Amino acid sequence: MQIRKIYAVYFSPVGSTGKVTEAVAGVIAGKLGIPAETIDFTLPENRGGGWTFDRDELVVFGTPTYAGRVPNKALPFVQDLFHGDQTPAIPVVTFGNRNFDSSLTELKDELEKNRFCPFAAGAFAARHVFSQTIAAGRPDAKDMEILHAFAEKAAAKLLAAQDADALTRPVIRGGEPVAPYYVPKGLDGQPAKFLKAKPKTDPDLCDGCGTCAEACPMGSISRENTAEVTGICIKCQACVRLCPKGAKYFDDPAFLSHVAMLEKNFQRRAEPETFL
């Protein structure tokens, strides 16, 4: 089938999902010799409208994995803002080296509900947002080689299909349905409850530049006083990762215990998984 344009669409608070999604879209765009455009709906100001895609367009759609699923606060954006018209799509997720669980299946299912035609899907490990050491440097060169090969196969599958109806759906992990959210645990093996945890600010380091407020995907950090978190926190770590002074941090005991558990048990290399 003929595709005239590719879109890399993603929610990516710390940038890893955006990198992977754009890379997949870029490989396919190069293979097909057509333009690619980015739609980054991470920030509130980028979610003011909605998008509908035609059947001769391709959407590579990416989200991170939170608690084994599509981030629950980002899911309504996926459901409400993006619609297809039998539009070919490639769902892509990143995960912090533990497991992507049901996130890729959930994203595929939601795209299908909005009249997209997912025909390939991929999950790629990235450095865990909670830790400096878990999957550090990922996605790395090996990951990108796998990604490149996956994107080339997806492009070939697309070209071989007569139309979107002829595109077979990817079977993810044997067709397992979406499972309940992963329950984070602490070092003691018990559930770690830190839903209400919010980032703190070191006043000796913070210069009030506002980078954290600008980076918050929920718009929850006050621009007038960046030490105030006035709304919900999804623990995406954008404020921590992007603060140029290193002034943002979390000190919630349950959160820190969960991070310690992850660092103890999930240092082994989790490989990407692709489905065609």
Side-chain angles (χ1 to χ4, degrees), residues 61 63 69-71 74-84 89 91 102-118 172 178 181:
F61 203 111
T63 72
R69 301 273 295 272
V70 174
L75 185 59
F77 310 145
V78 178
Q79 295 169 327
D80 299 339
L81 296 180
F82 301 98
H83 296 84
S102 294
S103 60
L104 190 57
T105 299
E106 183 174 29
L107 182 57
K108 178 186 75 72
D109 290 351
E110 293 298 336
L111 291 175
E112 286 182 327
K113 290 175 185 176
N114 280 3
R115 303 196 71 239
F116 290 92
C117 296
I172 300 171
V178 175
Y181 288 97

PDB file of all heavy atoms in Angstrom, residues 61 63 69-71 74-84 89 91 102-118 172 178 181:
ATOM      1  N   PHE A  61       3.315   5.261  17.314  1.00  0.00           N
ATOM      2  CA  PHE A  61       2.746   5.847  18.528  1.00  0.00           C
ATOM      3  C   PHE A  61       3.471   5.284  19.750  1.00  0.00           C
ATOM      4  O   PHE A  61       3.473   4.080  19.971  1.00  0.00           O
ATOM      5  CB  PHE A  61       1.265   5.506  18.609  1.00  0.00           C
ATOM      6  CG  PHE A  61       0.455   6.454  19.450  1.00  0.00           C
ATOM      7  CD1 PHE A  61      -0.479   7.297  18.872  1.00  0.00           C
ATOM      8  CD2 PHE A  61       0.622   6.516  20.821  1.00  0.00           C
ATOM      9  CE1 PHE A  61      -1.235   8.168  19.629  1.00  0.00           C
ATOM     10  CE2 PHE A  61      -0.120   7.384  21.600  1.00  0.00           C
ATOM     11  CZ  PHE A  61      -1.048   8.220  20.995  1.00  0.00           C
ATOM     12  N   THR A  63       4.555   5.396  24.041  1.00  0.00           N
ATOM     13  CA  THR A  63       4.381   5.805  25.435  1.00  0.00           C
ATOM     14  C   THR A  63       5.380   5.031  26.296  1.00  0.00           C
ATOM     15  O   THR A  63       5.805   3.942  25.917  1.00  0.00           O
ATOM     16  CB  THR A  63       2.962   5.534  25.991  1.00  0.00           C
ATOM     17  OG1 THR A  63       2.784   4.127  26.191  1.00  0.00           O
ATOM     18  CG2 THR A  63       1.882   6.077  25.072  1.00  0.00           C
ATOM     19  N   ARG A  69       1.717  -0.711  32.589  1.00  0.00           N
ATOM     20  CA  ARG A  69       0.634  -0.293  31.705  1.00  0.00           C
ATOM     21  C   ARG A  69       0.987   1.034  31.032  1.00  0.00           C
ATOM     22  O   ARG A  69       2.005   1.661  31.349  1.00  0.00           O
ATOM     23  CB  ARG A  69      -0.658  -0.116  32.526  1.00  0.00           C
ATOM     24  CG  ARG A  69      -1.130  -1.364  33.281  1.00  0.00           C
ATOM     25  CD  ARG A  69      -2.013  -2.264  32.443  1.00  0.00           C
ATOM     26  NE  ARG A  69      -3.251  -1.586  32.104  1.00  0.00           N
ATOM     27  CZ  ARG A  69      -4.362  -1.595  32.850  1.00  0.00           C
ATOM     28  NH1 ARG A  69      -4.390  -2.265  33.987  1.00  0.00           N
ATOM     29  NH2 ARG A  69      -5.460  -0.975  32.462  1.00  0.00           N
ATOM     30  N   VAL A  70       0.135   1.482  30.115  1.00  0.00           N
ATOM     31  CA  VAL A  70       0.235   2.848  29.628  1.00  0.00           C
ATOM     32  C   VAL A  70       0.008   3.761  30.835  1.00  0.00           C
ATOM     33  O   VAL A  70      -0.867   3.488  31.661  1.00  0.00           O
ATOM     34  CB  VAL A  70      -0.847   3.121  28.552  1.00  0.00           C
ATOM     35  CG1 VAL A  70      -0.858   4.584  28.139  1.00  0.00           C
ATOM     36  CG2 VAL A  70      -0.611   2.231  27.331  1.00  0.00           C
ATOM     37  N   PRO A  71       0.793   4.841  30.996  1.00  0.00           N
ATOM     38  CA  PRO A  71       0.585   5.719  32.157  1.00  0.00           C
ATOM     39  C   PRO A  71      -0.883   6.116  32.296  1.00  0.00           C
ATOM     40  O   PRO A  71      -1.480   6.627  31.345  1.00  0.00           O
ATOM     41  CB  PRO A  71       1.468   6.932  31.837  1.00  0.00           C
ATOM     42  CG  PRO A  71       2.546   6.380  30.961  1.00  0.00           C
ATOM     43  CD  PRO A  71       1.886   5.318  30.128  1.00  0.00           C
ATOM     44  N   ALA A  74      -1.947   9.501  31.302  1.00  0.00           N
ATOM     45  CA  ALA A  74      -1.773   9.818  29.884  1.00  0.00           C
ATOM     46  C   ALA A  74      -2.769   9.062  29.016  1.00  0.00           C
ATOM     47  O   ALA A  74      -3.014   9.455  27.867  1.00  0.00           O
ATOM     48  CB  ALA A  74      -0.347   9.490  29.436  1.00  0.00           C
ATOM     49  N   LEU A  75      -3.355   8.000  29.548  1.00  0.00           N
ATOM     50  CA  LEU A  75      -4.282   7.188  28.767  1.00  0.00           C
ATOM     51  C   LEU A  75      -5.450   7.992  28.190  1.00  0.00           C
ATOM     52  O   LEU A  75      -5.803   7.807  27.012  1.00  0.00           O
ATOM     53  CB  LEU A  75      -4.794   6.028  29.612  1.00  0.00           C
ATOM     54  CG  LEU A  75      -5.683   5.008  28.904  1.00  0.00           C
ATOM     55  CD1 LEU A  75      -4.959   4.370  27.726  1.00  0.00           C
ATOM     56  CD2 LEU A  75      -6.142   3.930  29.883  1.00  0.00           C
ATOM     57  N   PRO A  76      -6.067   8.912  28.956  1.00  0.00           N
ATOM     58  CA  PRO A  76      -7.150   9.705  28.360  1.00  0.00           C
ATOM     59  C   PRO A  76      -6.706  10.537  27.160  1.00  0.00           C
ATOM     60  O   PRO A  76      -7.505  10.781  26.245  1.00  0.00           O
ATOM     61  CB  PRO A  76      -7.609  10.608  29.522  1.00  0.00           C
ATOM     62  CG  PRO A  76      -7.217   9.868  30.752  1.00  0.00           C
ATOM     63  CD  PRO A  76      -5.927   9.193  30.402  1.00  0.00           C
ATOM     64  N   PHE A  77      -5.449  10.969  27.147  1.00  0.00           N
ATOM     65  CA  PHE A  77      -4.953  11.719  25.987  1.00  0.00           C
ATOM     66  C   PHE A  77      -4.919  10.817  24.760  1.00  0.00           C
ATOM     67  O   PHE A  77      -5.303  11.227  23.660  1.00  0.00           O
ATOM     68  CB  PHE A  77      -3.552  12.277  26.258  1.00  0.00           C
ATOM     69  CG  PHE A  77      -3.400  13.025  27.548  1.00  0.00           C
ATOM     70  CD1 PHE A  77      -2.218  12.961  28.276  1.00  0.00           C
ATOM     71  CD2 PHE A  77      -4.442  13.788  28.058  1.00  0.00           C
ATOM     72  CE1 PHE A  77      -2.073  13.645  29.468  1.00  0.00           C
ATOM     73  CE2 PHE A  77      -4.304  14.475  29.266  1.00  0.00           C
ATOM     74  CZ  PHE A  77      -3.109  14.397  29.968  1.00  0.00           C
ATOM     75  N   VAL A  78      -4.461   9.584  24.949  1.00  0.00           N
ATOM     76  CA  VAL A  78      -4.436   8.614  23.852  1.00  0.00           C
ATOM     77  C   VAL A  78      -5.853   8.366  23.350  1.00  0.00           C
ATOM     78  O   VAL A  78      -6.111   8.346  22.139  1.00  0.00           O
ATOM     79  CB  VAL A  78      -3.793   7.295  24.313  1.00  0.00           C
ATOM     80  CG1 VAL A  78      -3.812   6.261  23.191  1.00  0.00           C
ATOM     81  CG2 VAL A  78      -2.363   7.523  24.798  1.00  0.00           C
ATOM     82  N   GLN A  79      -6.770   8.194  24.273  1.00  0.00           N
ATOM     83  CA  GLN A  79      -8.147   7.843  23.921  1.00  0.00           C
ATOM     84  C   GLN A  79      -8.897   8.997  23.266  1.00  0.00           C
ATOM     85  O   GLN A  79      -9.702   8.782  22.343  1.00  0.00           O
ATOM     86  CB  GLN A  79      -8.900   7.393  25.173  1.00  0.00           C
ATOM     87  CG  GLN A  79      -8.360   6.116  25.782  1.00  0.00           C
ATOM     88  CD  GLN A  79      -8.938   5.839  27.159  1.00  0.00           C
ATOM     89  OE1 GLN A  79      -9.238   6.776  27.921  1.00  0.00           O
ATOM     90  NE2 GLN A  79      -9.085   4.565  27.502  1.00  0.00           N
ATOM     91  N   ASP A  80      -8.655  10.229  23.721  1.00  0.00           N
ATOM     92  CA  ASP A  80      -9.482  11.362  23.307  1.00  0.00           C
ATOM     93  C   ASP A  80      -8.900  12.202  22.173  1.00  0.00           C
ATOM     94  O   ASP A  80      -9.644  12.834  21.424  1.00  0.00           O
ATOM     95  CB  ASP A  80      -9.742  12.281  24.504  1.00  0.00           C
ATOM     96  CG  ASP A  80     -10.491  11.596  25.629  1.00  0.00           C
ATOM     97  OD1 ASP A  80     -11.146  10.568  25.364  1.00  0.00           O
ATOM     98  OD2 ASP A  80     -10.396  12.062  26.778  1.00  0.00           O
ATOM     99  N   LEU A  81      -7.582  12.222  22.040  1.00  0.00           N
ATOM    100  CA  LEU A  81      -6.962  13.175  21.123  1.00  0.00           C
ATOM    101  C   LEU A  81      -6.616  12.594  19.759  1.00  0.00           C
ATOM    102  O   LEU A  81      -6.416  13.359  18.806  1.00  0.00           O
ATOM    103  CB  LEU A  81      -5.684  13.745  21.751  1.00  0.00           C
ATOM    104  CG  LEU A  81      -5.847  14.564  23.024  1.00  0.00           C
ATOM    105  CD1 LEU A  81      -4.475  15.046  23.520  1.00  0.00           C
ATOM    106  CD2 LEU A  81      -6.761  15.755  22.797  1.00  0.00           C
ATOM    107  N   PHE A  82      -6.540  11.267  19.651  1.00  0.00           N
ATOM    108  CA  PHE A  82      -6.004  10.680  18.426  1.00  0.00           C
ATOM    109  C   PHE A  82      -6.979   9.671  17.827  1.00  0.00           C
ATOM    110  O   PHE A  82      -7.397   8.722  18.496  1.00  0.00           O
ATOM    111  CB  PHE A  82      -4.662  10.000  18.720  1.00  0.00           C
ATOM    112  CG  PHE A  82      -3.639  10.955  19.271  1.00  0.00           C
ATOM    113  CD1 PHE A  82      -3.417  11.042  20.641  1.00  0.00           C
ATOM    114  CD2 PHE A  82      -2.924  11.798  18.431  1.00  0.00           C
ATOM    115  CE1 PHE A  82      -2.503  11.937  21.165  1.00  0.00           C
ATOM    116  CE2 PHE A  82      -2.003  12.696  18.942  1.00  0.00           C
ATOM    117  CZ  PHE A  82      -1.793  12.773  20.304  1.00  0.00           C
ATOM    118  N   HIS A  83      -7.311   9.908  16.555  1.00  0.00           N
ATOM    119  CA  HIS A  83      -8.248   9.034  15.874  1.00  0.00           C
ATOM    120  C   HIS A  83      -7.758   8.742  14.464  1.00  0.00           C
ATOM    121  O   HIS A  83      -7.119   9.577  13.825  1.00  0.00           O
ATOM    122  CB  HIS A  83      -9.635   9.679  15.818  1.00  0.00           C
ATOM    123  CG  HIS A  83     -10.248   9.879  17.163  1.00  0.00           C
ATOM    124  ND1 HIS A  83      -9.962  10.978  17.953  1.00  0.00           N
ATOM    125  CD2 HIS A  83     -11.095   9.099  17.890  1.00  0.00           C
ATOM    126  CE1 HIS A  83     -10.629  10.875  19.101  1.00  0.00           C
ATOM    127  NE2 HIS A  83     -11.313   9.749  19.080  1.00  0.00           N
ATOM    128  N   GLY A  84      -8.051   7.536  14.012  1.00  0.00           N
ATOM    129  CA  GLY A  84      -7.657   7.130  12.682  1.00  0.00           C
ATOM    130  C   GLY A  84      -8.855   6.894  11.784  1.00  0.00           C
ATOM    131  O   GLY A  84     -10.012   7.001  12.208  1.00  0.00           O
ATOM    132  N   ALA A  89      -0.739   1.699  11.944  1.00  0.00           N
ATOM    133  CA  ALA A  89      -0.086   2.209  13.155  1.00  0.00           C
ATOM    134  C   ALA A  89       0.890   1.181  13.711  1.00  0.00           C
ATOM    135  O   ALA A  89       0.709  -0.034  13.547  1.00  0.00           O
ATOM    136  CB  ALA A  89      -1.124   2.574  14.212  1.00  0.00           C
ATOM    137  N   PRO A  91       2.360   0.633  17.461  1.00  0.00           N
ATOM    138  CA  PRO A  91       2.516   0.994  18.874  1.00  0.00           C
ATOM    139  C   PRO A  91       3.913   0.620  19.365  1.00  0.00           C
ATOM    140  O   PRO A  91       4.426  -0.453  19.044  1.00  0.00           O
ATOM    141  CB  PRO A  91       1.432   0.182  19.582  1.00  0.00           C
ATOM    142  CG  PRO A  91       1.155  -0.966  18.665  1.00  0.00           C
ATOM    143  CD  PRO A  91       1.425  -0.486  17.268  1.00  0.00           C
ATOM    144  N   SER A 102       1.824  -5.323  30.414  1.00  0.00           N
ATOM    145  CA  SER A 102       0.692  -5.187  29.484  1.00  0.00           C
ATOM    146  C   SER A 102       0.677  -3.866  28.718  1.00  0.00           C
ATOM    147  O   SER A 102      -0.285  -3.593  27.996  1.00  0.00           O
ATOM    148  CB  SER A 102      -0.626  -5.311  30.260  1.00  0.00           C
ATOM    149  OG  SER A 102      -0.796  -6.607  30.789  1.00  0.00           O
ATOM    150  N   SER A 103       1.700  -3.046  28.885  1.00  0.00           N
ATOM    151  CA  SER A 103       1.629  -1.700  28.292  1.00  0.00           C
ATOM    152  C   SER A 103       1.490  -1.737  26.776  1.00  0.00           C
ATOM    153  O   SER A 103       0.702  -0.975  26.187  1.00  0.00           O
ATOM    154  CB  SER A 103       2.852  -0.872  28.686  1.00  0.00           C
ATOM    155  OG  SER A 103       4.054  -1.483  28.239  1.00  0.00           O
ATOM    156  N   LEU A 104       2.224  -2.624  26.111  1.00  0.00           N
ATOM    157  CA  LEU A 104       2.172  -2.662  24.649  1.00  0.00           C
ATOM    158  C   LEU A 104       0.824  -3.187  24.164  1.00  0.00           C
ATOM    159  O   LEU A 104       0.253  -2.653  23.204  1.00  0.00           O
ATOM    160  CB  LEU A 104       3.312  -3.524  24.116  1.00  0.00           C
ATOM    161  CG  LEU A 104       3.551  -3.483  22.605  1.00  0.00           C
ATOM    162  CD1 LEU A 104       3.818  -2.065  22.124  1.00  0.00           C
ATOM    163  CD2 LEU A 104       4.709  -4.392  22.215  1.00  0.00           C
ATOM    164  N   THR A 105       0.301  -4.203  24.821  1.00  0.00           N
ATOM    165  CA  THR A 105      -1.027  -4.721  24.468  1.00  0.00           C
ATOM    166  C   THR A 105      -2.089  -3.660  24.687  1.00  0.00           C
ATOM    167  O   THR A 105      -2.991  -3.474  23.852  1.00  0.00           O
ATOM    168  CB  THR A 105      -1.349  -5.967  25.302  1.00  0.00           C
ATOM    169  OG1 THR A 105      -0.388  -6.979  25.027  1.00  0.00           O
ATOM    170  CG2 THR A 105      -2.733  -6.490  24.996  1.00  0.00           C
ATOM    171  N   GLU A 106      -1.997  -2.948  25.818  1.00  0.00           N
ATOM    172  CA  GLU A 106      -2.989  -1.907  26.104  1.00  0.00           C
ATOM    173  C   GLU A 106      -2.941  -0.801  25.058  1.00  0.00           C
ATOM    174  O   GLU A 106      -3.990  -0.345  24.575  1.00  0.00           O
ATOM    175  CB  GLU A 106      -2.742  -1.326  27.493  1.00  0.00           C
ATOM    176  CG  GLU A 106      -3.779  -0.285  27.905  1.00  0.00           C
ATOM    177  CD  GLU A 106      -3.609   0.183  29.337  1.00  0.00           C
ATOM    178  OE1 GLU A 106      -2.464   0.180  29.847  1.00  0.00           O
ATOM    179  OE2 GLU A 106      -4.628   0.553  29.952  1.00  0.00           O
ATOM    180  N   LEU A 107      -1.736  -0.371  24.684  1.00  0.00           N
ATOM    181  CA  LEU A 107      -1.625   0.675  23.673  1.00  0.00           C
ATOM    182  C   LEU A 107      -2.178   0.198  22.340  1.00  0.00           C
ATOM    183  O   LEU A 107      -2.910   0.933  21.654  1.00  0.00           O
ATOM    184  CB  LEU A 107      -0.165   1.103  23.536  1.00  0.00           C
ATOM    185  CG  LEU A 107       0.120   2.227  22.536  1.00  0.00           C
ATOM    186  CD1 LEU A 107      -0.687   3.483  22.849  1.00  0.00           C
ATOM    187  CD2 LEU A 107       1.613   2.556  22.508  1.00  0.00           C
ATOM    188  N   LYS A 108      -1.851  -1.018  21.939  1.00  0.00           N
ATOM    189  CA  LYS A 108      -2.394  -1.577  20.697  1.00  0.00           C
ATOM    190  C   LYS A 108      -3.917  -1.601  20.739  1.00  0.00           C
ATOM    191  O   LYS A 108      -4.592  -1.193  19.769  1.00  0.00           O
ATOM    192  CB  LYS A 108      -1.863  -2.989  20.478  1.00  0.00           C
ATOM    193  CG  LYS A 108      -2.418  -3.672  19.225  1.00  0.00           C
ATOM    194  CD  LYS A 108      -1.991  -5.113  19.121  1.00  0.00           C
ATOM    195  CE  LYS A 108      -2.716  -6.029  20.067  1.00  0.00           C
ATOM    196  NZ  LYS A 108      -4.156  -6.256  19.683  1.00  0.00           N
ATOM    197  N   ASP A 109      -4.479  -2.064  21.846  1.00  0.00           N
ATOM    198  CA  ASP A 109      -5.934  -2.156  21.965  1.00  0.00           C
ATOM    199  C   ASP A 109      -6.598  -0.780  21.864  1.00  0.00           C
ATOM    200  O   ASP A 109      -7.642  -0.622  21.208  1.00  0.00           O
ATOM    201  CB  ASP A 109      -6.322  -2.808  23.294  1.00  0.00           C
ATOM    202  CG  ASP A 109      -5.982  -4.290  23.357  1.00  0.00           C
ATOM    203  OD1 ASP A 109      -5.609  -4.865  22.313  1.00  0.00           O
ATOM    204  OD2 ASP A 109      -6.086  -4.876  24.458  1.00  0.00           O
ATOM    205  N   GLU A 110      -6.007   0.211  22.520  1.00  0.00           N
ATOM    206  CA  GLU A 110      -6.595   1.551  22.489  1.00  0.00           C
ATOM    207  C   GLU A 110      -6.527   2.154  21.091  1.00  0.00           C
ATOM    208  O   GLU A 110      -7.468   2.842  20.658  1.00  0.00           O
ATOM    209  CB  GLU A 110      -5.884   2.458  23.495  1.00  0.00           C
ATOM    210  CG  GLU A 110      -6.111   2.080  24.953  1.00  0.00           C
ATOM    211  CD  GLU A 110      -7.565   2.161  25.374  1.00  0.00           C
ATOM    212  OE1 GLU A 110      -8.349   2.907  24.731  1.00  0.00           O
ATOM    213  OE2 GLU A 110      -7.935   1.472  26.348  1.00  0.00           O
ATOM    214  N   LEU A 111      -5.445   1.901  20.381  1.00  0.00           N
ATOM    215  CA  LEU A 111      -5.356   2.398  19.015  1.00  0.00           C
ATOM    216  C   LEU A 111      -6.397   1.732  18.127  1.00  0.00           C
ATOM    217  O   LEU A 111      -7.028   2.395  17.284  1.00  0.00           O
ATOM    218  CB  LEU A 111      -3.943   2.166  18.464  1.00  0.00           C
ATOM    219  CG  LEU A 111      -2.831   3.006  19.108  1.00  0.00           C
ATOM    220  CD1 LEU A 111      -1.472   2.586  18.561  1.00  0.00           C
ATOM    221  CD2 LEU A 111      -3.057   4.494  18.878  1.00  0.00           C
ATOM    222  N   GLU A 112      -6.610   0.448  18.311  1.00  0.00           N
ATOM    223  CA  GLU A 112      -7.625  -0.245  17.527  1.00  0.00           C
ATOM    224  C   GLU A 112      -9.013   0.329  17.790  1.00  0.00           C
ATOM    225  O   GLU A 112      -9.822   0.474  16.858  1.00  0.00           O
ATOM    226  CB  GLU A 112      -7.605  -1.736  17.841  1.00  0.00           C
ATOM    227  CG  GLU A 112      -6.417  -2.465  17.234  1.00  0.00           C
ATOM    228  CD  GLU A 112      -6.455  -3.956  17.515  1.00  0.00           C
ATOM    229  OE1 GLU A 112      -6.950  -4.357  18.593  1.00  0.00           O
ATOM    230  OE2 GLU A 112      -5.987  -4.724  16.652  1.00  0.00           O
ATOM    231  N   LYS A 113      -9.290   0.657  19.038  1.00  0.00           N
ATOM    232  CA  LYS A 113     -10.598   1.241  19.375  1.00  0.00           C
ATOM    233  C   LYS A 113     -10.823   2.567  18.641  1.00  0.00           C
ATOM    234  O   LYS A 113     -11.964   2.930  18.351  1.00  0.00           O
ATOM    235  CB  LYS A 113     -10.695   1.469  20.881  1.00  0.00           C
ATOM    236  CG  LYS A 113     -10.790   0.201  21.713  1.00  0.00           C
ATOM    237  CD  LYS A 113     -10.763   0.532  23.199  1.00  0.00           C
ATOM    238  CE  LYS A 113     -10.727  -0.716  24.054  1.00  0.00           C
ATOM    239  NZ  LYS A 113     -10.613  -0.395  25.506  1.00  0.00           N
ATOM    240  N   ASN A 114      -9.728   3.287  18.374  1.00  0.00           N
ATOM    241  CA  ASN A 114      -9.840   4.585  17.704  1.00  0.00           C
ATOM    242  C   ASN A 114      -9.578   4.497  16.206  1.00  0.00           C
ATOM    243  O   ASN A 114      -9.165   5.455  15.579  1.00  0.00           O
ATOM    244  CB  ASN A 114      -8.880   5.591  18.361  1.00  0.00           C
ATOM    245  CG  ASN A 114      -9.456   6.165  19.647  1.00  0.00           C
ATOM    246  OD1 ASN A 114     -10.537   5.781  20.065  1.00  0.00           O
ATOM    247  ND2 ASN A 114      -8.736   7.078  20.266  1.00  0.00           N
ATOM    248  N   ARG A 115      -9.811   3.295  15.654  1.00  0.00           N
ATOM    249  CA  ARG A 115      -9.811   3.052  14.209  1.00  0.00           C
ATOM    250  C   ARG A 115      -8.421   3.175  13.573  1.00  0.00           C
ATOM    251  O   ARG A 115      -8.268   3.587  12.439  1.00  0.00           O
ATOM    252  CB  ARG A 115     -10.822   3.950  13.488  1.00  0.00           C
ATOM    253  CG  ARG A 115     -12.242   3.809  14.005  1.00  0.00           C
ATOM    254  CD  ARG A 115     -13.289   4.383  13.076  1.00  0.00           C
ATOM    255  NE  ARG A 115     -13.427   3.537  11.880  1.00  0.00           N
ATOM    256  CZ  ARG A 115     -13.239   3.970  10.635  1.00  0.00           C
ATOM    257  NH1 ARG A 115     -12.871   5.216  10.411  1.00  0.00           N
ATOM    258  NH2 ARG A 115     -13.389   3.163   9.607  1.00  0.00           N
ATOM    259  N   PHE A 116      -7.415   2.788  14.343  1.00  0.00           N
ATOM    260  CA  PHE A 116      -6.097   2.574  13.777  1.00  0.00           C
ATOM    261  C   PHE A 116      -5.948   1.072  13.479  1.00  0.00           C
ATOM    262  O   PHE A 116      -6.672   0.247  14.041  1.00  0.00           O
ATOM    263  CB  PHE A 116      -4.998   3.000  14.747  1.00  0.00           C
ATOM    264  CG  PHE A 116      -4.906   4.492  14.944  1.00  0.00           C
ATOM    265  CD1 PHE A 116      -5.605   5.115  15.979  1.00  0.00           C
ATOM    266  CD2 PHE A 116      -4.133   5.273  14.102  1.00  0.00           C
ATOM    267  CE1 PHE A 116      -5.518   6.491  16.166  1.00  0.00           C
ATOM    268  CE2 PHE A 116      -4.045   6.650  14.279  1.00  0.00           C
ATOM    269  CZ  PHE A 116      -4.737   7.264  15.318  1.00  0.00           C
ATOM    270  N   CYS A 117      -4.988   0.738  12.616  1.00  0.00           N
ATOM    271  CA  CYS A 117      -4.704  -0.653  12.264  1.00  0.00           C
ATOM    272  C   CYS A 117      -3.277  -1.000  12.667  1.00  0.00           C
ATOM    273  O   CYS A 117      -2.348  -0.898  11.842  1.00  0.00           O
ATOM    274  CB  CYS A 117      -4.887  -0.866  10.764  1.00  0.00           C
ATOM    275  SG  CYS A 117      -6.571  -0.622  10.187  1.00  0.00           S
ATOM    276  N   PRO A 118      -3.051  -1.394  13.905  1.00  0.00           N
ATOM    277  CA  PRO A 118      -1.699  -1.780  14.320  1.00  0.00           C
ATOM    278  C   PRO A 118      -1.257  -3.045  13.580  1.00  0.00           C
ATOM    279  O   PRO A 118      -1.977  -4.040  13.562  1.00  0.00           O
ATOM    280  CB  PRO A 118      -1.846  -2.042  15.818  1.00  0.00           C
ATOM    281  CG  PRO A 118      -3.137  -1.388  16.216  1.00  0.00           C
ATOM    282  CD  PRO A 118      -4.008  -1.492  15.014  1.00  0.00           C
ATOM    283  N   ILE A 172       0.906 -10.148  20.573  1.00  0.00           N
ATOM    284  CA  ILE A 172       1.864  -9.761  21.603  1.00  0.00           C
ATOM    285  C   ILE A 172       1.829 -10.767  22.745  1.00  0.00           C
ATOM    286  O   ILE A 172       0.796 -10.981  23.369  1.00  0.00           O
ATOM    287  CB  ILE A 172       1.548  -8.342  22.119  1.00  0.00           C
ATOM    288  CG1 ILE A 172       1.635  -7.330  20.966  1.00  0.00           C
ATOM    289  CG2 ILE A 172       2.482  -7.947  23.255  1.00  0.00           C
ATOM    290  CD1 ILE A 172       1.131  -5.951  21.311  1.00  0.00           C
ATOM    291  N   VAL A 178      -4.841  -7.600  28.737  1.00  0.00           N
ATOM    292  CA  VAL A 178      -4.268  -6.597  29.631  1.00  0.00           C
ATOM    293  C   VAL A 178      -4.475  -7.031  31.083  1.00  0.00           C
ATOM    294  O   VAL A 178      -5.597  -7.350  31.494  1.00  0.00           O
ATOM    295  CB  VAL A 178      -4.906  -5.224  29.389  1.00  0.00           C
ATOM    296  CG1 VAL A 178      -4.401  -4.201  30.401  1.00  0.00           C
ATOM    297  CG2 VAL A 178      -4.604  -4.743  27.969  1.00  0.00           C
ATOM    298  N   TYR A 181      -2.558  -3.538  37.079  1.00  0.00           N
ATOM    299  CA  TYR A 181      -1.322  -2.778  37.254  1.00  0.00           C
ATOM    300  C   TYR A 181      -0.327  -3.541  38.135  1.00  0.00           C
ATOM    301  O   TYR A 181      -0.716  -4.231  39.087  1.00  0.00           O
ATOM    302  CB  TYR A 181      -1.614  -1.415  37.898  1.00  0.00           C
ATOM    303  CG  TYR A 181      -2.291  -0.439  36.979  1.00  0.00           C
ATOM    304  CD1 TYR A 181      -3.674  -0.279  37.012  1.00  0.00           C
ATOM    305  CD2 TYR A 181      -1.559   0.314  36.066  1.00  0.00           C
ATOM    306  CE1 TYR A 181      -4.309   0.616  36.164  1.00  0.00           C
ATOM    307  CE2 TYR A 181      -2.182   1.203  35.214  1.00  0.00           C
ATOM    308  CZ  TYR A 181      -3.556   1.357  35.263  1.00  0.00           C
ATOM    309  OH  TYR A 181      -4.184   2.230  34.406  1.00  0.00           O
TER     310      TYR A 181
END
